[in-house]
């Protein structure tokens, strides 16, 4: 496969996955902002998903609808849903002959949905949850169509590598921000609503209730998001799948490149698999997450170097 084509598959999937994470986070945090007894802040969300400066951060912080429009339809925000899907569509267009017609139509419909000029008006004056739900359905339709229609070849492998790399980075950023806030406000450590919203924003609340019977505790939340191999948005699940799809790219012609990346993936898998909540706490969660994220970026950089360098 041409490096240009492989890179387009990879980035198409990363942009779609990022938009999915943003929408999930926006929906749960908007609901939380309406129910919050104490003062609510959007700063953690803005820090994870945008490059807003201090002045813009201050302006947006307490205005939920302004945050939604900035994160969904603002062209000046590089990480807005509109810009993410525009970039995803551009990548898909460049490899249109390699994807199914159904998948292209799905992505095109998503693009026109988020590009609708009326979406900002609805976010500001109507029920924003219905807007976010509609956009999220577009993503679910895209993922379902990709799953049932795409050829099980190299293109799909690069799509899944991009998806799981983006997903694992998002999970790490979320944990780092949420647990970091506890350092400034220790009361959050025992605030079950705070951890419930984290679980809901990453789609893990129902699995958590089935897995842990002693109520919502910070340590158990961290264990689920980092170490649970059955949770499709956990870090270890994503890393395992990165390794799985790289294995499918293994060929005699690229054996040295594959071994270089496989070594990094194996090292990362081991550092997570042989960790526990106790050992992570001893190292320090922030330090542990920082190293894991650094290793993920190394895998991403090696992917670019070995597979996309000529794109």
């Amino acid at each position: 496969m041409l490096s240009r084509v492989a890179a387009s598959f990879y980035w198409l999937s990363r942009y779609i996955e990022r938009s999915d994470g943003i929408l999930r986070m926006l929906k749960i945090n908007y609901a939380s902002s309406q129910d919050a007894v104490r003062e609510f802040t959007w700063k953690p969300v803005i820090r994870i998903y945008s490059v807003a400066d201090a002045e813009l951060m201050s302006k947006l912080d307490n205005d939920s609808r302004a945050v939604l429009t900035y994160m969904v339809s603002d062209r000046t925000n590089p990480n807005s849903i509109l810009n993410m899907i525009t970039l995803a569509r551009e990548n898909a267009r460049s490899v249109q002959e390699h994807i199914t017609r159904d998948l292209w139509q799905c992505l095109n419909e998503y693009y026109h949905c988020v590009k609708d000029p009326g979406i900002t008006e609805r976010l500001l004056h109507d029920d924003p949850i219905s807007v976010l739900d509609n956009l999220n359905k577009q993503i679910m339709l895209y993922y379902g169509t990709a799953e049932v229609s795409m050829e099980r070849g190299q293109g799909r492998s690069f799509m899944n590598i991009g998806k799981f790399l983006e997903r694992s980075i998002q999970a790490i950023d979320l944990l780092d921000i949420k647990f970091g806030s506890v350092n400034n406000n220790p009361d959050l450590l025992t605030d079950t609503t705070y951890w419930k919203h984290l679980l809901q924003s990453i789609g893990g609340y129902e699995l958590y209730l089935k897995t842990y019977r002693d109520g919502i505790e910070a340590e158990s939340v961290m264990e689920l998001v980092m170490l649970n191999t059955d949770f499709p948005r956990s870090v270890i699940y994503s890393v395992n799948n990165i390794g799985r799809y790289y294995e499918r790219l293994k060929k005699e012609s690229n054996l040295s490149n594959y071994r270089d990346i496989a070594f990094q993936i194996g090292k990362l898998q081991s550092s997570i698999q042989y960790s526990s909540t106790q050992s992570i706490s001893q190292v320090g969660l922030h330090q542990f997450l920082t190293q894991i994220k650094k290793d993920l970026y190394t895998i991403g950089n090696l992917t670019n170097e070995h597979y996309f360098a000529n794109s």
Side-chain angles (χ1 to χ4, degrees):
M1 176 173 284
L2 294 174
S3 58
R4 172 187 59 80
V5 175
S8 292
F9 273 120
Y10 172 86
W11 283 108
L12 157 65
S13 197
R14 285 199 67 167
Y15 290 134
I16 292 289
E17 181 64 27
R18 194 175 305 170
S19 73
D20 184 32
I22 292 171
L23 287 171
R24 289 172 179 272
M25 183 70 74
L26 291 178
K27 179 180 176 180
I28 297 305
N29 276 268
Y30 178 77
S32 176
S33 73
Q34 303 305 295
D35 298 336
V37 176
R38 62 176 180 275
E39 184 179 356
F40 179 85
T41 178
W42 282 94
K43 286 181 180 178
V45 176
I46 299 171
R47 282 204 299 269
I48 293 173
Y49 291 112
S50 82
V51 291
D53 56 28
E55 182 179 351
L56 182 58
M57 185 95 74
S58 177
K59 179 181 177 181
L60 293 173
D61 186 33
N62 295 318
D63 190 338
S64 294
R65 290 181 183 264
V67 172
L68 293 182
T69 56
Y70 177 72
M71 295 301 300
V72 173
S73 58
D74 193 327
R75 293 183 181 275
T76 66
N77 175 14
N79 274 333
S80 70
I81 301 296
L82 175 59
N83 284 328
M84 289 294 100
I85 300 310
T86 299
L87 290 169
R89 185 171 179 264
E90 289 174 359
N91 278 279
R93 184 188 293 279
S94 69
V95 294
Q96 195 168 348
E97 67 274 20
H98 297 279
I99 62 176
T100 63
R101 182 177 180 181
D102 287 339
L103 190 62
W104 169 253
Q105 288 178 337
C106 263
L107 183 55
N108 211 35
E109 183 178 337
Y110 185 13
Y111 168 76
H112 286 292
C113 183
V114 75
K115 193 171 178 277
D116 179 3
I119 199 169
T120 298
E121 185 70 18
R122 293 195 295 275
L123 286 170
L124 288 173
H125 302 294
D126 294 337
D127 176 22
I129 294 294
S130 63
V131 177
L132 299 176
D133 279 341
N134 187 43
L135 293 175
N136 193 252
K137 286 177 184 176
Q138 295 292 331
I139 294 180
M140 295 301 101
L141 182 60
Y142 169 88
Y143 278 141
T145 304
E147 181 63 27
V148 301
S149 70
M150 278 294 292
E151 171 193 353
R152 267 50 179 173
Q154 288 184 332
R156 184 170 177 270
S157 292
F158 281 113
M159 287 175 69
N160 281 303
I161 289 168
K163 177 176 74 174
F164 287 112
L165 189 64
E166 182 68 33
R167 184 175 293 183
S168 57
I169 290 171
Q170 286 190 37
I172 288 170
D173 284 341
L174 179 61
L175 282 178
D176 203 16
I177 290 290
K178 290 293 187 179
F179 276 87
S181 297
V182 171
N183 295 331
N184 300 321
N185 185 0
D187 291 341
L188 292 175
L189 195 62
T190 56
D191 187 339
T192 57
T193 302
Y194 181 78
W195 301 112
K196 176 182 176 181
H197 287 153
L198 184 156
L199 291 167
Q200 289 175 325
S201 66
I202 203 171
Y205 182 58
E206 292 182 10
L207 179 59
Y208 183 94
L209 295 180
K210 294 175 183 177
T211 307
Y212 302 94
R213 302 295 183 179
D214 296 330
I216 301 178
E217 298 178 349
E219 186 176 277
S220 299
V221 170
M222 186 261 285
E223 182 178 62
L224 179 78
V225 178
M226 279 299 306
L227 307 174
N228 191 305
T229 55
D230 294 324
F231 178 38
R233 293 186 176 276
S234 74
V235 176
I236 188 58
Y237 182 91
S238 295
V239 171
N240 286 343
N241 273 279
I242 292 171
R244 172 190 173 196
Y245 285 103
Y246 262 114
E247 179 71 26
R248 296 187 179 188
L249 297 175
K250 181 180 179 181
K251 289 185 176 181
E252 288 299 324
S253 59
N254 68 355
L255 201 55
S256 61
N257 292 344
Y258 167 77
R259 285 173 175 165
D260 193 8
I261 296 179
F263 173 78
Q264 295 295 331
I265 294 172
K267 186 175 71 169
L268 179 56
Q269 284 176 307
S270 295
S271 65
I272 300 173
Q273 287 173 344
Y274 297 110
S275 295
S276 63
T277 54
Q278 292 77 19
S279 66
I280 293 173
S281 297
Q282 289 174 358
V283 173
L285 180 61
H286 175 70
Q287 183 176 341
F288 180 78
L289 293 176
T290 299
Q291 184 59 52
I292 297 299
K293 189 175 178 180
K294 180 180 178 181
D295 291 341
L296 286 166
Y297 278 132
T298 297
I299 293 169
N301 291 336
L302 287 172
T303 300
N304 181 69
E305 177 184 341
H306 293 325
Y307 291 96
F308 310 151
N310 298 319
S311 62

